[in-house]
Amino acid sequence: MKPIYDRFLSSRINYIEPSPIRDAVAKIAAKSKTTKVISFAAGEPDPDVIPRELYGELAKEVFIKEKGSVNYSPADGVSELKIEIARFMAEYEGVKTGPDNIVVTLGGSQAIDILGRLILDPGDIVIVENPSYVNTILVWKHYGVRIIGVPMDDNGMVTEKLEDVVKRLRSEGKKLKLIYTIPTGQNPSGVTMSMDRRKHLLEIASRYDLLVAEDTAYNHLVYEPVDVKPLRSMDTEDRVIYIGSFSKIFGTGLRIGWLEAHPEIIGRVRVAKGPMDMCPPVPSQYIVLNLLRNKLYRPIREKAVAEYKSKRDIMIAAIEKHLTGLKHTRPVAGMFILLWLPEDIDGRAFSDQLLEKYNVAVIPAAAFYTDETGRNVIRLNFSMSEKDLIEEGIRRISMLLKESKTPTP
Amino acid sequence: MKPIYDRFLSSRINYIEPSPIRDAVAKIAAKSKTTKVISFAAGEPDPDVIPRELYGELAKEVFIKEKGSVNYSPADGVSELKIEIARFMAEYEGVKTGPDNIVVTLGGSQAIDILGRLILDPGDIVIVENPSYVNTILVWKHYGVRIIGVPMDDNGMVTEKLEDVVKRLRSEGKKLKLIYTIPTGQNPSGVTMSMDRRKHLLEIASRYDLLVAEDTAYNHLVYEPVDVKPLRSMDTEDRVIYIGSFSKIFGTGLRIGWLEAHPEIIGRVRVAKGPMDMCPPVPSQYIVLNLLRNKLYRPIREKAVAEYKSKRDIMIAAIEKHLTGLKHTRPVAGMFILLWLPEDIDGRAFSDQLLEKYNVAVIPAAAFYTDETGRNVIRLNFSMSEKDLIEEGIRRISMLLKESKTPTP
């Protein structure tokens, strides 16, 4: 049917693309309605790890005690929450900051969108890790930008290649302002950037006068001692914009994230944000405020870390047992493992067959790549998987792989 | 100090303006910290009218019963909530619709912003009532549009003048796609558009091939029987995009609004919205879902209407007693009264003096006007005022007015 409203749409509509994993997600949702599916497709914490009863008690108290819970908060967030977030950043991130450097947002997602609105013009280039978080790519494309990916290895973005790319783009006169990175427990790779690379990235930002957007969503889901610090904590030139989120510890549903940066940037964010949404959800803000004040971040995180670590270990053991020889990442942080299928296998078709025939859900990782190199890669989530079914899910992947090796007529 | 980050900002930054009432609001907040201020400056419901204890019970139940409360919902909202909203629109608005025509948003504000993203290009023109809601104007300006206001009278937007404006713009070859209206209990005027004008507006939209964004935030704060229907309920050509909000009945803090329109438009909204914010706040969605399911909308609204009606009556009586002869609106709906000061008085300076000298807070309405005609107008809110202090506040306005008439050296 001919679209009848296209004459009313902005030219921006050409940049607004459906998520490349939308179909996969829809198929999984449909199948799950009728069949028991072993899912490695999620991208969020396990709700059974989150103390929902405690949230219920807190919410009840908040509504009774805080008249303001049913009114607007300031557009940049409840001021006590901004103070607690500043304390959080000092305690857990080694970032000395204050409430005036902070704007509370609707999760990290809105923080990323607002940054795009402030910084990105059509034709601008943004550098990301290849692969990178698909929703950041999608929402920044709304602003008409071109996304360029820099390859990763086990130590994160290969910063030598980053410098090559930056040099080339500058020599071509391209408009480049921003590097986006998820340095710890990256989505989708699970990789954590080494300290050397972090320092090198900051040097490059300084040398070429670039801003860095540091997405810290997975900073605290860390399963082994690692010697890394947030870029923002080493940022002597105020080039790093810290994208914070409580989603991966307190749950995604509350939708509380934040931006922290130099007050001049944050001042602009504050001005832009006011009419965009009036304020973040106020009961959610008060729940997070109370969790932080009552020192509940650490125990909630510790429970999550213990649980996800054990799931990760089971998944890696199963991969090494059933999928011997296949390349995969070994995350020390985050929620995801990338698995490379044999080169001649298309990850999208494989994921479809796996769901259809074996009732196992994975996400084809091609969507996260800025080029064709991820065609045969799939993303496995362990945080929300059912512990007892992880090995069986991996075994079924190996069964489909064996079949795929037999040529079909 | 020279801004140091300007080199990184998008060209859009020229369109991102601070709210023209920001300074007034900041002064009121500062003064309120040290002094008892009689405030007519608010723009939201009275938290004492809202059953916060009940919300607390519901929230507790939600967190315990709904695992999904701490996870993402679909980007367009919890599906049961969309069903309830469709029912709500049938029951209260006479709009026959279904969940596929609905996207749940972070209040009406985000709904308005998303519409801008989908529809508005730099250079486009949007027609609004003059005066109109300042945050809609501000956020649509982010998209580089020009805002043109059409005068209002006691029956709402003067649609004869609307047609003149549309004709002129079309003859000049201007890009005009959208009319924005708050037909019932308008902010800031409190005026409700008559049925004849509503029909005429729809005729004009049809004749000149325009979309209409109908902001229904105040549709259910109606204090006297009025014979009006939502534009969307009379919209035989699917030109109306319905902007819904529960903020004015259930409280602004929950941040639950929605867009309802032809599925082709809503499909585009759905695609755009996914990566912008992942989903609306999930506990808030479940609280609203339970309020609707438990048939609590009507009693909560009835309590609010009774309370605000009595405040409105007190305020109008006080204006007629103490400010005889001054023009003001007589709202049958909404939360606001506009008051015209004598022509030679500047509403901004008057509001400042009123706060400083008499501890009464009002909002200068100039910010809501698209031209200079509102220079001497102030906006008075009654919904959040303290009933016992309304007359005293109005009396203080009259005292300052008397002083203002005495020429000062």
Side-chain angles (χ1 to χ4, degrees), chain B residues 204-262:
Chain B
I204 293 168
S206 173
R207 195 170 310 140
Y208 296 93
D209 191 23
L210 296 165
L211 292 178
V212 179
E214 177 180 28
D215 188 338
T216 66
Y218 305 94
N219 271 22
H220 302 286
L221 288 180
V222 178
Y223 310 115
E224 284 159 34
V226 277
D227 171 35
V228 292
K229 290 196 282 188
L231 294 166
R232 180 64 173 142
S233 73
M234 305 184 277
D235 171 29
T236 55
E237 297 180 0
D238 270 332
R239 293 186 175 278
V240 178
I241 299 163
Y242 182 103
I243 301 163
S245 171
F246 289 116
S247 291
K248 304 307 184 286
I249 307 292
F250 290 154
T252 49
L254 294 172
R255 310 302 306 122
I256 298 295
W258 71 96
L259 280 172
E260 190 278 338
H262 186 280

Side-chain angles (χ1 to χ4, degrees), chain A residues 5 7 12 117 209 238, chain B residues 5 7 12 117 209 238:
Chain A
Y5 288 91
R7 67 187 183 284
R12 196 176 303 107
R117 185 173 300 210
D209 191 22
D238 270 333
Chain B
Y5 288 91
R7 67 187 185 285
R12 197 175 303 107
R117 185 174 300 212
D209 191 23
D238 270 332

Side-chain angles (χ1 to χ4, degrees), chain B residues 253-288:
Chain B
L254 294 172
R255 310 302 306 122
I256 298 295
W258 71 96
L259 280 172
E260 190 278 338
H262 186 280
E264 201 185 284
I265 296 177
I266 289 300
R268 297 282 197 173
V269 171
R270 203 173 276 128
V271 165
K273 186 173 176 294
M276 286 173 67
D277 69 352
M278 300 303 290
C279 66
V282 184
S284 290
Q285 290 189 73
Y286 276 108
I287 291 170
V288 171

Side-chain angles (χ1 to χ4, degrees), chain B residues 129-131 150-161 181-186 188-198 224 226-228 312 316 320 326-333 336-340 369 377:
Chain B
E129 284 133 358
N130 187 24
V150 170
M152 303 181 77
D153 62 18
D154 291 345
N155 292 311
M157 186 191 281
V158 182
T159 44
E160 295 72 23
K161 293 196 178 164
T181 176
I182 309 168
T184 298
Q186 204 240 16
S189 69
V191 166
T192 295
M193 193 187 283
S194 69
M195 272 300 268
D196 286 350
R197 291 273 177 82
R198 290 175 194 233
E224 284 159 34
V226 277
D227 171 35
V228 292
R312 176 202 67 163
I316 288 185
E320 301 196 330
L326 287 193
K327 181 180 158 188
H328 62 89
T329 56
R330 300 180 150 275
V332 297
F336 304 108
I337 295 173
L338 279 188
L339 178 72
W340 277 257
Y369 280 81
V377 189

Side-chain angles (χ1 to χ4, degrees), chain B residues 315-384:
Chain B
M315 191 174 274
I316 288 185
I319 290 172
E320 301 196 330
K321 178 173 167 192
H322 295 286
L323 298 168
T324 323
L326 287 193
K327 181 180 158 188
H328 62 89
T329 56
R330 300 180 150 275
V332 297
M335 302 179 160
F336 304 108
I337 295 173
L338 279 188
L339 178 72
W340 277 257
L341 303 173
E343 287 237 341
D344 58 335
I345 290 182
D346 181 86
R348 285 197 189 86
F350 185 86
S351 304
D352 280 353
Q353 288 163 34
L354 189 65
L355 180 69
E356 209 173 299
K357 194 161 174 184
Y358 286 104
N359 302 324
V360 175
V362 301
I363 296 289
F368 297 81
Y369 280 81
T370 59
D371 58 17
E372 292 301 303
T373 54
R375 224 185 32 80
N376 60 323
V377 189
I378 59 176
R379 188 188 77 174
L380 307 175
N381 163 267
F382 50 86
S383 61
M384 217 168 141

